[in-house]
Structures are given as C-alpha cells and as structure tokens.
Amino acid sequence: MSLFDLHREGNVQELIRLLRESDTEEVRQRAAEMLGEFDEHQDRRDIISALVRAAQEDDSGAVTAAAVDALEELGQEAIEQLIETMAGVDFGGEEAEWVRAKAFVQALDAGIAELRMAAANGLGKFGDGDAIEPLVGRFDDDDPRVRARAARACGSIGDPRACSPLETLLEDEIAEVRREAAEALGQIGNRQALQALLDMYDDPSDRVRRVAVSSFGNFDNAAPVDPLVTALSDESAIVRRTAVYALIQLLANVPTQKSHEIREEIVDKLSETDDESVVVPLVEIIEEGTQAAQRRNTAWLLGRVITDPDERAVDALVTALEDDDQMTSQFAATSLAELDADERVAERLLDVVTDTDRPTDARAQAIFTLGKVGGEESRQTLDTLLDDTDNEEIRKRAFSAISKLGGRT
C-alpha cells in the first residue's frame, strides 16, 4: 500500500512504523510530514511520541526537520513534549512556566534550524520579556527562517527593548525577514518602532511595503501622510488598498485638536491621486466596516475626494444615512451634498424621502441634503410630503429644505 493510500485511510500506525523502520530517507520524511496532518486522530499520543523520537534520533537532517515541522503542526503541546524530552526536564510542577521558558531558550541553540524556529515560536507565545535577549541573539542566525521567527516572537512579546535590534533586520537581504521585522515593530507600536518603518514604504518587496504601510495607521500625527499618499500609487493593488485603510485609521487615532489640520492635508493629497484607487477601498469600508470611527471618517472623506462618483459610491453614502452612529449619518449627508453635480444623488435621496418604511432619522438626513442639492422635482416632492405626513421631524426638515429650494407653491 502506498503512502498516499495510508494517508487517505488514516492508517497512522503504519505511517509510524515506516517513520521508524524504513531504510529510505524520502519515505521517512514523507511519513513524518503526513503524521503532522492528523491533529485530531485518536492515536495522537502515539503520533507525537514517534515524531519526538524521529526528531531526536533520525540520522537524516531532512527527516528530523520534517518531524519538528510536523510537531509544530500538531500544536504547542506537541512541540513542548519535544523540548521537554531534549532538555531532560518535566514541565509539570509549581515552576512549570519558568522551567518551560528556560528549556525553550536552550532550544534556541539547537543544531536543527527547524527546532530553533519552534523554540522561537514557543517563546513568543509565552510573552515573557526575559526571552527578548536570547531571541535577539538569533537575529544573526545563518538560517533566515530562524531570524524571521525570532523577529515574530519579539513582536508577539511586544517589549520595546527589541526595537533597535529589529531595526537592523529591516535591512536584511531576505524579504521575509524584513517583513517579520516590520510586522513586529508595528505590533510594538511605540514612537521609535513606527518611526523606523517610515522609510519602508518603498521596499522592493510588496509584502514588506504592505506591512509597513498598514502600521502607519497606528500613528497619532501627520508624519506618515506623505508616505501613505505615495503608497496610493503603488504598483501593488494590495498596497494601495492598505494605504487607504491606514489613512482612515490614522484619522481615527489623531487627537481632536489635530484632526482638522490632518484631515485637510489628507484631502489635499488625495485630490491629486487617481480617483478609482482611492474610492473603491473607501466604499468598501462604508459597506463592510464595523468600527464607528472608521466608517465616520470614511463617510466624511468620500464626498471630498470623489471627482467622478459611480453608482456604488452614491449608494454607499445613501445607505450610510441609516447608520446607527449619528455622526456617520451626518457625514454621509454632507458628503452627498458635496456631490450635488451628480443627478443620481437627488434621485436616490428622493427614494429615501418617500420610503415611509425607512427610519425617520435617515429620511430627515435625506431631506436636509435635498435642501442643498435638489431641484424643482425635489421641491415638489417635499411640498407634497408636507401635506401627507404627520411626522413632526419630517415636516420640520421639509419646511427648511423647501425654503432653500424656493419656497412652497
């Protein structure tokens, strides 16, 4: 029976036998890889034991590496069993956390790169600041995968002491290492970490650029506005999209006293960029966003950066009139008023105004906007509405809007 058939049938005991007894290195390696895919198998304990033994005793580096990777696939418990066996310690007892962390630190010096990677992963999950120094010590590891995992672990721990060492990894020749270092600095998120990322928006790797640009949304000042605007013209669509999201997040983070100044700067910059590259992700935030601050800022921004709104953008703003957040609804109304040259705006607003099943607040916001962008049809519709409704809020808004459109007939 082939390895494929054993895997398909879930015959882990035969795979374990092959891992232990096969004379063919490729067979043992493939058996180890397959065993790592049986996370919920009833023989999980036997699988872990066999992989731990292979990681320690097999003569082939490829097999030991596959065994370590398989244990990682099986979860923290599995990799801890390997570290425990290698260190000759018992992870039980009162000092379990201290003993466990020390064993993982020791494993950072293992001769197998995959084990050093697993040890770095484990230390990142413990979240212990004492692990920063030994993790930073692996930043010059010969294997770039180890450097990348060590950087990731530092980001998970979030200790600012890792900032300066992580900055050195931003110049690593391997893009994956630079990406993990950028991600880690973004997670730490203090002033030094974010400042270090400002120059990474033009990294040769689009994955690194995306991570750096995403972190710019964590700033609380205008420092990343220029790099973010530059990123809006990036050759990578995902980087351009990330830049828009970061701009919206930036607006949500800045203090109120700085907000107006930064808003105006962003509007000025965005008005000079390609309309479609900005509008599409903004519309997506309105349609799918769950954070009120982001939706609010997006609703405000849309009407100020769109030069040629499509139907989807108009519909998104009209839908936002019904938003539970009152400021989002108000900003959607003011943005629609900014698009008064587009006849679709008045048409869609009239649909809202005349739909009695819609919430009163949404209809009232639509009437307010019609007072700014409507024409004769709007005036007549609102005139009729005054005679047909007993809703005082609707009547009040309608009177105000009609007066701006020329008064009642």
Side-chain angles (χ1 to χ4, degrees):
M1 184 177 291
S2 69
L3 284 170
F4 174 80
D5 291 331
L6 294 174
H7 179 268
R8 183 186 59 190
E9 295 178 8
N11 191 343
V12 299
Q13 292 300 332
E14 183 61 16
L15 287 172
I16 289 172
R17 187 190 69 78
L18 291 172
L19 174 61
R20 289 176 175 172
E21 301 176 7
S22 176
D23 294 329
T24 306
E25 176 184 327
E26 289 78 6
V27 171
R28 300 198 306 278
Q29 179 181 351
R30 187 65 183 124
E33 293 169 350
M34 288 180 171
L35 286 170
E37 298 175 16
F38 291 101
D39 182 29
E40 299 181 358
H41 198 278
Q42 61 182 4
D43 293 336
R44 174 183 169 86
R45 182 176 299 179
D46 292 342
I47 294 172
I48 293 175
S49 296
L51 289 169
V52 167
R53 179 177 177 180
Q56 289 186 284
E57 301 178 3
D58 201 282
D59 294 332
S60 165
V63 176
T64 57
V68 174
D69 282 342
L71 287 166
E72 273 223 282
E73 290 293 323
L74 294 174
Q76 184 77 355
E77 170 202 352
I79 203 67
E80 283 187 6
Q81 187 167 323
L82 172 61
I83 302 293
E84 180 182 32
T85 303
M86 292 183 63
V89 297
D90 182 2
F91 283 170
E94 296 180 358
E95 296 181 333
E97 285 299 316
W98 177 81
V99 172
R100 185 180 290 110
K102 184 176 180 180
F104 272 78
V105 168
Q106 291 176 350
L108 283 175
D109 294 324
I112 304 170
E114 286 75 13
L115 187 51
R116 300 198 297 276
M117 292 162 58
N121 280 352
L123 289 170
K125 291 175 181 177
F126 293 147
D128 188 349
D130 291 340
I132 291 296
E133 185 175 348
L135 284 168
V136 168
R138 299 311 328 168
F139 282 6
D140 60 357
D141 196 283
D142 291 338
D143 194 309
R145 297 174 301 166
V146 177
R147 300 198 297 273
R149 296 292 182 91
R152 182 190 302 177
C154 286
S156 297
I157 294 172
D159 194 313
R161 290 176 298 166
C163 286
S164 294
L166 284 167
E167 286 185 53
T168 66
L169 289 187
L170 294 178
E171 300 179 2
D172 197 279
E173 61 180 355
I174 304 299
E176 182 63 16
V177 177
R178 299 197 303 275
R179 187 186 73 81
E180 292 288 0
E183 190 89 59
L185 286 166
Q187 286 180 282
I188 294 172
N190 64 6
R191 187 175 297 275
Q192 178 186 356
L194 296 176
Q195 193 69 29
L197 293 172
L198 281 178
D199 292 333
M200 300 303 292
Y201 72 94
D202 60 352
D203 189 273
S205 167
D206 59 351
R207 298 183 68 190
V208 176
R209 296 198 303 276
R210 182 194 63 78
V211 170
V213 166
S214 177
S215 72
F216 294 164
N218 296 326
F219 276 75
D220 61 358
N221 57 63
V225 170
D226 284 341
L228 280 171
V229 172
T230 300
L232 292 172
S233 302
D234 196 277
E235 63 183 20
S236 167
I238 187 62
V239 174
R240 297 195 299 271
R241 187 180 302 270
T242 301
V244 175
Y245 277 82
L247 279 169
I248 295 299
Q249 185 61 43
L250 175 65
L251 285 175
N253 288 339
V254 295
T256 304
Q257 61 270 26
K258 297 181 181 179
S259 177
H260 179 73
E261 177 184 348
I262 294 179
R263 284 173 186 272
E264 294 304 320
E265 183 174 353
I266 289 175
V267 169
D268 289 342
K269 299 287 187 181
L270 293 187
S271 299
E272 302 170 1
T273 63
D274 175 60
D275 189 63
E276 183 177 357
S277 67
V278 174
V279 172
V280 172
L282 286 177
V283 171
E284 289 178 351
I285 295 174
I286 286 287
E287 292 176 339
E288 304 169 11
T290 57
Q291 298 184 28
Q294 291 183 354
R295 290 172 53 79
R296 186 183 304 160
N297 286 313
T298 304
W300 179 88
L301 198 57
L302 260 177
R304 290 153 182 82
V305 300
I306 297 179
T307 57
D308 184 24
D310 59 15
E311 186 172 348
R312 183 182 177 190
V314 173
D315 285 347
L317 286 170
V318 170
T319 301
L321 294 174
E322 300 183 29
D323 201 278
D324 293 336
D325 179 67
Q326 186 176 10
M327 289 188 65
T328 300
S329 175
Q330 291 174 351
F331 284 153
T334 58
S335 281
L336 286 165
E338 294 287 338
L339 306 179
D340 60 351
D342 194 308
E343 62 182 18
R344 286 171 299 185
V345 173
E347 293 175 0
R348 293 288 287 109
L349 289 171
L350 285 171
D351 289 340
V352 175
V353 168
T354 56
D355 186 351
T356 56
D357 291 332
R358 290 182 183 269
T360 295
D361 288 345
R363 296 176 69 201
Q365 290 287 10
I367 293 171
F368 165 80
T369 310
L370 278 175
K372 294 178 175 293
V373 305
E376 178 60 22
E377 182 182 359
S378 299
R379 191 189 65 79
Q380 292 179 6
T381 300
L382 293 175
D383 199 11
T384 302
L385 183 64
L386 279 174
D387 297 327
D388 294 342
T389 183
D390 295 326
N391 188 306
E392 286 303 317
E393 178 66 18
I394 297 298
R395 290 178 60 83
K396 177 182 176 181
R397 290 296 183 95
F399 267 120
S400 176
I402 289 174
S403 66
K404 295 175 182 177
L405 296 175
R408 299 199 71 177
T409 303

